[in-house]
């Protein structure tokens, strides 16, 4: 993930006020995104009880992007907990992936409390951004479970970065492009296309 965060650092410095993400209700410039990611990542690091694998409860919003990037910045493996999963499906994913702590966007704190796990709410805090020293971070994606129990796929950061670079090259993504995300960020392709490629391409 070092390449991704180096790109975010560059965008924040070179074109800080350029809009990075917009969910129709709120938006973040590259500078604001970098500042919020840095502050949330620092909060995660400052709490040693937060394990390597964390759940992410968030809708289709900029706060979810902040939570995802902050968790990666802190070297965590993220397990999306889709809002469209039933309570039994969410509990299965939590148990199967070994989730013991949740990052929740403000609109999902009630669900986080219902799941009865410790959680951290992603807030508006800002701090100076610097790329992480390590290259950790990863993701576990679960299927919808429509033909049985949800199935998890573990993805290391290097796999995701390779896919993001390959897709960005295949579509010749550039800073002149915009990407409209209509699918949930919980899908792997959407994580890559809606979050990683826009940062890489600017």
């Amino acid at each position: 993930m070092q390449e991704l965060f180096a790109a975010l650092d560059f965008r924040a410095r070179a074109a800080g006020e350029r809009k990075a993400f917009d969910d129709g209700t709120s938006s973040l410039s590259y500078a604001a995104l970098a500042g919020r990611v840095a502050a949330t990542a620092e909060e995660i690091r400052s709490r040693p009880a937060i394990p390597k694998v964390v759940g992410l409860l968030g809708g289709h919003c900029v706060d979810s992007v902040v939570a995802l990037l902050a968790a990666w910045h802190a070297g965590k493996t993220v397990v999306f907990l889709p809002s469209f999963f039933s309570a039994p499906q969410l509990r299965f994913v939590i148990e199967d992936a070994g989730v013991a702590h949740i990052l929740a966007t403000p609109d999902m704190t009630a669900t986080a409390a219902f799941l009865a796990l410790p959680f951290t709410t992603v807030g508006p805090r800002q701090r100076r951004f610097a790329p992480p020293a390590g290259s950790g971070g990863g993701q576990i994606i679960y299927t919808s479970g429509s033909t049985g129990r949800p199935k998890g796929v573990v993805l290391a950061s290097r796999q995701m970065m390779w896919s993001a670079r390959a897709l960005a090259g295949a579509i010749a993504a550039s800073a002149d492009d915009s990407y409209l995300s209509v699918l949930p960020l919980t899908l792997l392709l959407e994580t890559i296309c809606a979050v990683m490629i826009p940062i890489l391409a600017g």
Side-chain angles (χ1 to χ4, degrees), residues 39-91:
T40 305
E42 179 60 28
E43 181 175 359
I44 294 169
R45 283 193 192 89
S46 70
R47 300 175 65 181
I50 297 179
K52 174 72 174 178
V53 176
V54 296
L56 198 165
L57 266 173
H60 212 65
C61 59
V62 295
D63 288 330
S64 291
V65 175
V66 171
L68 176 64
L69 292 172
W72 285 346
H73 192 287
K76 305 298 183 184
T77 297
V78 175
V79 182
F80 274 109
L81 303 174
S83 58
F84 54 84
F85 271 21
S86 66
Q89 285 176 314
L90 287 174
R91 289 196 174 99

Side-chain angles (χ1 to χ4, degrees), residues 143-151:
T143 63
S144 64
S146 56
T147 58
R149 285 183 165 180
K151 299 171 184 66

